[in-house]
Structure formats: C-alpha cells, structure tokens
Amino acid sequence: MSSPKAPALPEELDLVLRRMRLPYLRKAAPDVLATARAQRWDPAEVLRVLLGEEVTGRGAATRRMRRKTANFPTGKTFSSWRAEESSISEATQNSLSTLEWIGRQENLAVAGPSGTGKSHFVEALAHSAIENDMRVSWFTLETLTAAVGKAKVDGSVARTISRICGCDLIVVDIGMLPAGQDAAEAFYRIIDAAYERRSIAVTSNIHPSGFDSIMPKTLATATVDRLLHHAHLVTTKGDSHRLAEAIAGKGVVPLT
C-alpha cells in the first residue's frame, strides 16, 4: 500500500518559491516538510535538506545543458568503454581519466588508425569532465572551420574564439582528409588562443608530426608547436573495432 500523498504547499509559499526561482526546492518541499513534521526534524535540518535538493537539481540541470551545448557526436561514455580491448595502456587510461591534465591546462593528442577507439575514449573523457563541473566544446575540423568562417562574415572572430576558449576542454576531431587554408587557419586560431590557458584534445588518424601532409606547412608547423608543447601524446594501434564487430555479425540486429 502506497503512503499518502504529502499535502501541497500553501499557495502563498508556492508563489514565493516560484518568484525566487527555486523549482527543485519547491518540488521537494511537500515530501520533505511532511517527513520533517512526522520525524520532528530540527528546523536547521529541514533547511539543509531543502537547499540540498535545490543545489542537486541545479547541478544536474547544468550538466544536462552542458552536454547538449558541447555537441558531442555520439554520446559515448566510459560505461560502454572496454578498457581491456584498447591499445592505450591501462596506466595512461587511468592517468588521463583523473582529468588532472585539464586542471593544468595541458593538451591531449590521440592518433591512430580508424576504429581503434580514439573518439570513444576522448568523448568519454569529455563526458567525465562535464560530470566534474567543467565546460566542454566538441568540433570536427569542418564545424570549427564553419564557425570561424561565419564569424569572419559578421566581424565577430575575436568574440567567437573567446567564447570557444571559455570552455575548460576543447575537442577537435581532425580525421585524415586534406584541410585547406581556411580550415588550417581556424584550427591554428583555436590552438593559439587556448595555448597555456585551456586544454585542447585532438583526435586524428594522422600523427601530429604529419599534419603538414593535410594542411599548409607553415600553419601546420606553428599549430603543432603549440599543441604539443604541453601535451600528452597517445597513439592507438590495431585493427578496427567496428570492422571486427561487422565481421562477427555484431554490427546489426540479426534478421529473423
């Protein structure tokens, strides 16, 4: 048998909580006050619990908003990460997972063949950063180029770069396709603006030392110089996990 529903808040109190924008406290208040009355809580304990509900609710809402604005590609977290199957050493995985490198404004470059877990691992780190009250932005080289290109049109490049670098962690997925002058310039602008101020995580099929093969050499050299100065360089190897799953018939739901 379910317990009786807690009585609603008095209308004037409900109105005050709405005007003060305390939605989580207001939602929890009927049950908390009913419990406090039944168990004869100290008034200070009632206040602590109610404020705790508001703080917890706001924190969860902030994390949801940050996950949405981060523009993650897939939503992969450590819950689906198979650490034992990764070519990244356990010690390196554990060290990077502490996120201490972000607090030190250090960078991360992960390079290796397609399907070896680069994006999954970095996205899991980025989700973990948000859970630890950090701000994250995720870009492909194409979306970063588009953002900076749009800012050029309306004269807001400096403001756009500043907004992007307001995040604690900026992730850029380079891939392996050739990048023109605009893409290389956009990438350089972010690396230069974030240098020793924010953390950059880059994933690429190509080692950073080979970036001059996909973008103009002068910009590539200047970019990599800043990117790797305070960076953890991780290389992955092996066969594609996606291809292995496809061959094993695990990439789709079996036909019946």
Side-chain angles (χ1 to χ4, degrees), residues 70-250:
N71 200 30
F72 290 125
T74 62
K76 291 180 178 177
T77 66
F78 279 120
S79 65
S80 58
W81 173 251
R82 296 191 288 267
E84 70 283 357
E85 295 181 11
S86 174
S87 60
I88 303 172
S89 72
E90 181 180 358
T92 297
Q93 291 187 49
N94 292 339
S95 179
L96 292 172
S97 296
T98 67
L99 306 180
E100 292 176 359
W101 55 282
I102 299 179
R104 296 191 295 265
Q105 293 80 50
E106 296 169 351
N107 297 331
L108 171 63
V110 185
S114 178
T116 52
K118 303 183 301 296
S119 294
H120 189 160
F121 182 61
V122 172
E123 187 174 354
L125 289 172
H127 274 284
S128 182
I130 287 180
E131 289 301 313
N132 283 271
D133 296 321
M134 299 180 193
R135 292 164 295 173
V136 177
S137 285
W138 185 291
F139 296 93
T140 63
L141 189 55
E142 291 79 9
T143 59
L144 179 62
T145 304
V148 175
K150 181 180 178 181
K152 282 184 178 180
V153 174
D154 59 22
S156 63
V157 173
R159 185 163 65 250
T160 297
I161 297 297
S162 178
R163 174 178 55 79
I164 292 172
C165 290
C167 293
D168 301 285
L169 174 63
I170 305 156
V171 183
V172 183
D173 182 9
I174 299 295
M176 61 181 295
L177 296 176
Q181 180 74 21
D182 288 346
E185 180 183 332
F187 186 42
Y188 170 77
R189 281 179 178 272
I190 293 298
I191 298 298
D192 183 54
Y195 180 63
E196 295 186 333
R197 294 179 54 245
R198 291 290 187 266
S199 290
I200 302 276
V202 172
T203 62
S204 174
N205 291 34
I206 298 173
H207 192 284
S209 63
F211 280 2
D212 58 358
S213 67
I214 60 171
M215 61 181 65
K217 184 177 179 63
T218 300
L219 280 171
T221 300
T223 300
V224 171
D225 179 65
R226 289 163 175 77
L227 172 66
L228 296 186
H229 184 207
H230 305 294
H232 302 272
L233 180 58
V234 177
T235 57
T236 60
K237 58 184 179 181
D239 298 325
S240 169
H241 299 319
R242 290 188 290 268
L243 181 58
E245 287 188 354
I247 293 174
K250 297 179 180 179

Side-chain angles (χ1 to χ4, degrees), residues 55-73:
V55 169
T56 299
R58 289 190 183 194
T62 296
R63 290 189 289 274
R64 286 194 299 271
M65 180 271 292
R66 287 180 176 175
R67 281 193 292 270
K68 182 177 180 180
T69 58
N71 200 30
F72 290 125

